[in-house]
Amino acid sequence: MSLQPSPRPTAHPLRYSYGTNGLTDLRLDDALSLLADLGYDGVGLTLDHMHLDPLAPDLAARTHKLARRLDELGLGVTIETGARYVLDPRRKHGPSLLDPDPAQRARRADLLVRAVQIATDLGAHAVHCFSGILPKDTTGERDTEGQAAEAEAEVEDAAWKRLAETLTPVLDAATAAGIPLAIEPEPGHLLATLDDFHRLRTALGSPDALGLTLDIGHCQCLEPLSPADCVRAAAPWLRHVQIEDMRRGVHEHLPFGDGEIDFPPVLEALATVGYQGLVSVELPRHSHAGPQLAQQSLPFLHHAAAVSTPPDADRPPNPGEGPTDSDGRTP
């Protein structure tokens, strides 16, 4: 199958990227060349050992070399920090911003500060992060349900306090660099919903540097609003967008057409609110088919965008014309 660039609709302002966490079987330069050849506008770069390792020696030199390559290929970039084992080879996403050990939380904060510096050197438009899973209460069993509920609330309140405190130096670095830190509501994490984002934002005093990563699939998974309505509700804080298909109540990232999302209204909402960042395809468990899915995903998004903004929207359709229930999805 040849890797031909897909046609670009000229009337739609959205810019698309593909996450390197879905291309982990490729060398980074091969992945970047693939995305440029396919016609992507950018890349969602996950800092990890197989691509740009943020803990390996000579980080500044490697980042400078990568910046030149991105410029040669004409690719924009968002920095992603969701690598599973970049800090701890035995704990997925550990340590988190919620770790009970202050020294361990500081390791995660240091990684995010490094990510801000990398983003500065690469000219990235945002740095992505997430909160982590709520630590378990290790203070023992309670005699009554009321005591258990009270203890659970205490653990959660402490976690929110840790999150705000640990993010503060990262936000200071992001403010100094002029690059937003875009935190992602993640199913199963302490910060799981848009409401949770606003709780953190309020606790921190609504700093300009704190923005939002909106994962469209996560909206389908658990938000009460539709994904398109989530876009509109999140618009003032929207700094990064991840996109894939998903089903209600099931946190599984799916290729386009394999889930339940109606994509044309989502892309129309993103265009209408004036979102200027990258819309990054997020398929971290599909690296085995990464090149093929990258090739399929961009035409899908371009078609869905064209469906959402038809050039003759005011003209009544002729018989047999017009969108159908399957528009915006693969057969």
Side-chain angles (χ1 to χ4, degrees):
M1 183 179 293
S2 63
L3 300 180
Q4 296 296 326
S6 61
R8 297 169 182 263
T10 57
H12 208 279
L14 297 179
R15 298 185 300 136
Y16 301 107
S17 66
Y18 200 96
T20 60
N21 61 0
L23 296 169
T24 55
D25 292 293
L26 276 65
R27 298 177 183 87
L28 180 56
D29 193 65
D30 290 339
L32 298 177
S33 297
L34 170 74
L35 298 181
D37 288 345
L38 290 174
Y40 281 90
D41 302 290
V43 58
L45 177 63
T46 295
L47 303 180
D48 208 348
H49 64 88
M50 78 290 292
H51 287 152
L52 184 64
D53 187 343
L55 304 181
D58 301 322
L59 177 61
R62 289 182 288 113
T63 304
H64 183 66
K65 180 179 179 181
L66 176 57
R68 292 200 308 269
R69 184 60 176 151
L70 290 169
D71 186 61
E72 290 171 0
L73 295 172
L75 293 174
V77 61
T78 308
I79 299 301
E80 304 260 4
T81 62
R84 295 182 179 95
Y85 297 101
V86 69
L87 289 178
D88 189 327
R90 301 184 182 185
R91 287 191 297 163
K92 181 181 177 181
H93 298 314
S96 78
L97 294 166
L98 308 178
D99 197 289
D101 185 343
Q104 293 299 310
R105 295 199 300 274
R107 291 180 63 207
R108 176 61 62 172
D110 177 69
L111 175 67
L112 295 179
V113 170
R114 285 172 178 253
V116 171
Q117 182 59 58
I118 292 169
T120 302
D121 294 342
L122 295 180
H125 76 83
V127 171
H128 149 277
C129 69
F130 46 58
S131 68
I133 297 171
L134 179 69
K136 293 181 179 179
D137 176 18
T138 58
T139 58
E141 295 184 0
R142 300 305 194 273
D143 294 333
T144 68
E145 289 185 7
Q147 288 177 329
E150 182 178 349
E152 184 177 346
E154 290 175 356
V155 170
E156 184 171 339
D157 287 344
W160 280 106
K161 183 178 180 181
R162 286 175 189 160
L163 179 60
E165 290 176 348
T166 311
L167 276 179
T168 296
V170 184
L171 288 167
D172 290 344
T175 299
I179 294 175
L181 183 70
I183 194 164
E184 177 188 4
E186 180 79 21
H189 284 213
L190 177 70
L191 197 156
T193 66
L194 289 176
D195 285 346
D196 293 335
F197 166 73
H198 290 300
R199 174 173 178 171
L200 175 66
R201 181 178 61 82
T202 301
L204 287 167
S206 302
D208 291 340
L210 181 65
L212 175 70
T213 292
L214 189 69
D215 187 301
I216 301 303
H218 295 173
C219 296
Q220 176 70 20
C221 179
L222 53 70
E223 292 286 354
L225 298 174
S226 71
D229 284 339
C230 286
V231 169
R232 287 184 278 269
W237 304 277
L238 198 55
R239 301 295 179 266
H240 182 41
V241 172
Q242 297 171 345
I243 195 165
E244 69 286 315
D245 218 336
M246 202 169 287
R247 301 186 183 100
R248 184 70 178 170
V250 182
H251 184 204
E252 181 183 3
H253 291 234
L254 300 172
F256 297 121
D258 288 357
E260 301 170 342
I261 298 176
D262 184 16
F263 285 96
V266 174
L267 300 178
E268 183 175 15
L270 285 167
T272 300
V273 302
Y275 174 67
Q276 297 297 311
L278 292 169
V279 179
S280 192
V281 179
E282 184 80 356
L283 293 172
R285 296 188 178 182
H286 291 78
S287 280
H288 62 282
Q292 292 75 30
L293 287 170
Q295 182 179 9
Q296 296 166 12
S297 295
L298 189 58
F300 179 97
L301 290 168
H302 282 164
H303 174 69
V307 170
S308 71
T309 54
D312 298 318
D314 295 331
R315 177 180 62 83
N318 295 323
E321 286 187 348
T324 69
D325 290 340
S326 63
D327 278 335
R329 296 182 176 272
T330 55

